[in-house]
Amino acid sequence: MDPMSHRHAPLLTLLLALGTVPSLGSADARVRLGELLPAHPWQASANAEGREVVVVYSHDCGDLGALWQAVLDSDLPVRAVNAEGTPSPAPAGLNPWRGDGATAFARALKVSAYPTVLLVQGDRILNAWEGDFTGKLE
């Protein structure tokens, strides 16, 4: 099967895959669930009951292809935040937020590892995961 073919990954499958891959056990999120997002330049989405996925990443995350594909397959709106000053690409169709504001956003969240994936509703953090993604959504 073509790894870039479009599949729909239910949100629960995405979150379970991010949270249960054995090599991810050392990821230690400091992002606080239930808190509001720090200041950002976008409005909360009206789609998916206001749920969105926010991916906070930096230039030294390595290959994020599998993570981007899993996030895009969730069929939720996706926000890309490229922190720490060195531009790094995001998938076609996503316009990453970059610069000092993006880095301040990541630091206000108290991100302990890049990439960090947030499930948000409105501006409230529902779930968070930090670390390297090596799993498959199958």
Side-chain angles (χ1 to χ4, degrees):
M1 172 178 230
D2 178 11
M4 295 305 282
S5 67
H6 187 68
R7 295 177 304 187
H8 296 286
L11 180 60
L12 181 58
T13 302
L14 172 65
L15 294 175
L16 289 174
L18 290 174
T20 61
V21 176
S23 66
L24 302 178
S26 62
D28 185 22
R30 294 186 305 176
V31 174
R32 297 186 58 113
L33 303 184
E35 288 193 349
L36 293 175
L37 290 176
H40 54 77
W42 63 84
Q43 296 289 326
S45 171
N47 297 331
E49 300 172 351
R51 290 185 178 184
E52 297 180 308
V53 176
V54 178
V55 179
V56 184
Y57 67 103
S58 72
H59 66 283
D60 61 355
C61 286
D63 182 6
L64 295 179
L67 174 64
W68 283 122
Q69 193 60 54
V71 168
L72 293 171
D73 285 348
S74 74
D75 284 336
L76 291 173
V78 177
R79 306 292 182 177
V81 180
N82 183 194
E84 304 304 332
T86 302
S88 185
L94 292 181
N95 184 19
W97 177 28
R98 295 185 169 108
D100 293 339
T103 299
F105 176 86
R107 292 181 182 173
L109 283 169
K110 298 183 177 138
V111 167
S112 64
Y114 295 116
T116 292
V117 179
L118 305 173
L119 173 64
V120 300
Q121 185 166 11
D123 276 338
R124 192 159 307 275
I125 301 168
L126 299 178
N127 206 340
W129 171 87
E130 298 175 298
D132 295 327
F133 180 72
T134 58
K136 296 181 181 178
L137 296 178
E138 297 186 272

